Amino acid sequence: MAKRICLMLLTLLIAGCVAVEENANPHNQTVKPKHSATQSELQLYQGAWDDSVQSAADISTSTKAALQADQALARGDKNKAAAFYARAIELDKKNVNAGYKLAVLHEDAGNYGQAEQLYRYLLKQSPRHTGILEGLGLILLEQNNLKEARRLLVKSVAIFETQNTRENNLQNHIPIKAFNGLGLIADRNGDYQQAQAYYRQGLSLNPDSASMMNNLAYSYFLAGDWKKAKALLYQVLQIQPHYPRAVYNLALVNVRDRRFNKAVELLEQFMEPYEASNDVGYLAMMVGDNVAAAELFQQAIDLAPSYYETAWKNMDKLKQLSGISKTEIKQ
């Protein structure tokens, strides 16, 4: 009997593959599985079909498959880990832990459709799993489904906080990203105090999270507390120097402080000087400093006169807004 390569779970649908390693197939050819899922089936895995992945079909128990997957993941072999987690679920569709880890692999690989459907399937079996609630909530947040995302993320942190207060009943998964997601939703809704409270809760669990610290700083910026935002952004850059989002947010703060040269200097870490001058010029225009904006646009044009069309377009826009002519700007 031919080995069964395509691992699937009946009754649900997830299409696509866990393409976690682009170099798994060195010739970049499409490798089709021997079996294909129908519209009524959940296709858990359809990645790079090498010998190590095919060996997952030889595993006879869900526990052994999950163990093999954990070992592969520890070695950094995500492709093999995904195949063995899929095998674990095929053998025991109630193996929520293996399913959760597979969903995370899908999400990390950018296979958000597969991850979402797998999270939804797992949530029916384990509706109080903080990791599943968090994972699905964050995917829905990316889809701008703020209401449903918030409901799931609130439930995730509520369950965590309830169980965290019970002696010897701590969950393995701590939903730090759920706090971050709730902060992002609150910021989008203009509730900056609530957003900052969520970020601080998340930071109490992971004090060195540069991304969450950056989000807290940006929330301060949105609320108009630029001094506090700047101080926190410098802390972020101490933890993770040259962190792009923090550098850009620090540039925004400097624009608000009318320190345009400093903003340009910051952005030059990640872009050409003429691009940095143009971008800061645009930000200066947005905050109403048309004179500084004109000087920065002209600086961008002088740095790249032959092909930097964007700065000329911004200069024209500035002219319409302020009535300043190009010749006056040049002088």
Side-chain angles (χ1 to χ4, degrees), residues 71-124:
Q71 292 172 348
L73 190 59
R75 296 192 302 270
D77 190 345
K78 294 182 179 181
N79 184 60
K80 186 172 184 178
F84 277 86
Y85 283 134
R87 177 61 171 166
I89 304 168
E90 182 188 30
L91 293 168
D92 179 8
K93 61 184 179 181
K94 294 183 179 180
N95 191 336
V96 173
N97 188 48
Y100 170 67
K101 292 177 180 178
L102 179 59
V104 171
L105 284 174
H106 272 302
E107 190 173 356
D108 289 346
N111 302 327
Y112 300 115
Q114 295 93 313
E116 178 185 349
Q117 293 186 54
L118 187 51
Y119 278 134
R120 289 189 183 279
Y121 167 73
L122 296 169
L123 196 59
K124 293 178 181 179

Side-chain angles (χ1 to χ4, degrees), residues 213-214 217-218 228-238 245-247 249-251 253:
M213 197 179 296
N214 171 72
Y218 188 66
K228 191 175 289 186
K230 179 184 286 188
L232 190 54
L233 287 167
Y234 276 116
Q235 289 184 42
V236 175
L237 293 175
Q238 287 180 344
R245 291 183 180 180
V247 170
N249 287 337
L250 188 55
V253 174

Side-chain angles (χ1 to χ4, degrees), residues 12-16 37 41-45 106 113-119 121:
L12 293 174
L13 169 66
I14 288 183
E41 297 171 336
L42 167 64
Q43 191 164 315
L44 295 168
Y45 182 85
H106 272 302
Q114 295 93 313
E116 178 185 349
Q117 293 186 54
L118 187 51
Y119 278 134
Y121 167 73

Side-chain angles (χ1 to χ4, degrees), residues 251 254-256 258-265 267-268 272-287 289-304 308 310-312 314-315 318 329-330:
N254 278 281
V255 167
R256 283 292 183 180
R258 301 301 196 268
R259 299 182 66 204
F260 301 113
N261 289 338
K262 180 61 177 178
V264 171
E265 179 186 329
L267 293 188
E268 283 179 346
E272 296 295 329
Y274 61 86
E275 294 175 314
S277 295
N278 174 75
D279 286 6
V280 175
Y282 188 84
L283 293 173
M285 183 171 63
M286 292 298 97
V287 299
D289 196 327
N290 292 339
V291 173
E295 292 175 352
L296 288 159
F297 290 145
Q298 187 62 57
Q299 183 174 308
I301 292 166
D302 291 342
L303 289 168
Y308 202 52
T310 303
W312 282 111
N314 285 333
M315 190 78 85
L318 180 63
I329 291 169
K330 185 67 175 178

Side-chain angles (χ1 to χ4, degrees), residues 100 104 107 119 123 129-141 149 152-157 173-181:
Y100 170 67
V104 171
E107 190 173 356
Y119 278 134
L123 196 59
H129 190 293
T130 58
I132 295 170
L133 289 162
E134 177 189 60
L136 181 55
L138 293 174
I139 287 177
L140 294 176
L141 174 57
L152 293 167
L153 295 175
V154 165
K155 186 175 181 180
S156 177
V157 300
H173 182 79
I174 301 174
I176 297 173
K177 292 181 180 179
F179 287 107
N180 190 58

Side-chain angles (χ1 to χ4, degrees), residues 2-240:
K3 289 184 178 179
R4 188 179 182 191
I5 298 177
C6 185
L7 305 175
M8 58 189 68
L9 186 65
L10 298 179
T11 72
L12 293 174
L13 169 66
I14 288 183
C17 65
V18 180
V20 290
E21 306 232 7
E22 291 182 1
N23 61 353
N25 182 359
H27 299 293
N28 198 30
Q29 296 173 338
T30 301
V31 182
K32 297 182 179 180
K34 294 181 180 178
H35 300 271
S36 59
T38 67
Q39 291 298 306
S40 63
E41 297 171 336
L42 167 64
Q43 191 164 315
L44 295 168
Y45 182 85
Q46 190 183 0
W49 298 100
D50 54 27
D51 291 341
S52 62
V53 173
Q54 293 180 30
S55 65
D58 294 332
I59 302 297
S60 59
T61 71
S62 180
T63 301
K64 289 181 179 179
L67 178 60
Q68 292 274 5
D70 288 341
Q71 292 172 348
L73 190 59
R75 296 192 302 270
D77 190 345
K78 294 182 179 181
N79 184 60
K80 186 172 184 178
F84 277 86
Y85 283 134
R87 177 61 171 166
I89 304 168
E90 182 188 30
L91 293 168
D92 179 8
K93 61 184 179 181
K94 294 183 179 180
N95 191 336
V96 173
N97 188 48
Y100 170 67
K101 292 177 180 178
L102 179 59
V104 171
L105 284 174
H106 272 302
E107 190 173 356
D108 289 346
N111 302 327
Y112 300 115
Q114 295 93 313
E116 178 185 349
Q117 293 186 54
L118 187 51
Y119 278 134
R120 289 189 183 279
Y121 167 73
L122 296 169
L123 196 59
K124 293 178 181 179
Q125 300 186 65
S126 187
R128 293 179 59 81
H129 190 293
T130 58
I132 295 170
L133 289 162
E134 177 189 60
L136 181 55
L138 293 174
I139 287 177
L140 294 176
L141 174 57
E142 287 294 322
Q143 297 173 0
N144 209 34
N145 186 347
L146 302 188
K147 183 177 180 181
E148 183 66 7
R150 187 180 186 281
R151 183 185 70 81
L152 293 167
L153 295 175
V154 165
K155 186 175 181 180
S156 177
V157 300
I159 292 170
F160 164 73
E161 290 173 340
T162 299
Q163 294 187 346
N164 198 36
T165 59
R166 298 176 184 173
E167 187 176 357
N168 298 323
N169 194 28
L170 294 176
Q171 278 204 136
N172 290 329
H173 182 79
I174 301 174
I176 297 173
K177 292 181 180 179
F179 287 107
N180 190 58
L182 288 168
L184 292 172
I185 292 172
D187 271 334
R188 291 191 190 185
N189 291 331
D191 191 349
Y192 305 127
Q193 286 189 341
Q194 181 64 71
Q196 292 156 25
Y198 280 129
Y199 294 135
R200 283 192 288 267
Q201 282 181 282
L203 286 168
S204 70
L205 299 169
N206 185 10
D208 294 328
S209 172
S211 61
M212 199 172 322
M213 197 179 296
N214 171 72
N215 288 342
L216 175 58
Y218 188 66
S219 185
Y220 287 140
F221 174 80
L222 292 174
D225 194 340
W226 305 327
K227 182 178 180 180
K228 191 175 289 186
K230 179 184 286 188
L232 190 54
L233 287 167
Y234 276 116
Q235 289 184 42
V236 175
L237 293 175
Q238 287 180 344
I239 296 172
Q240 189 173 333

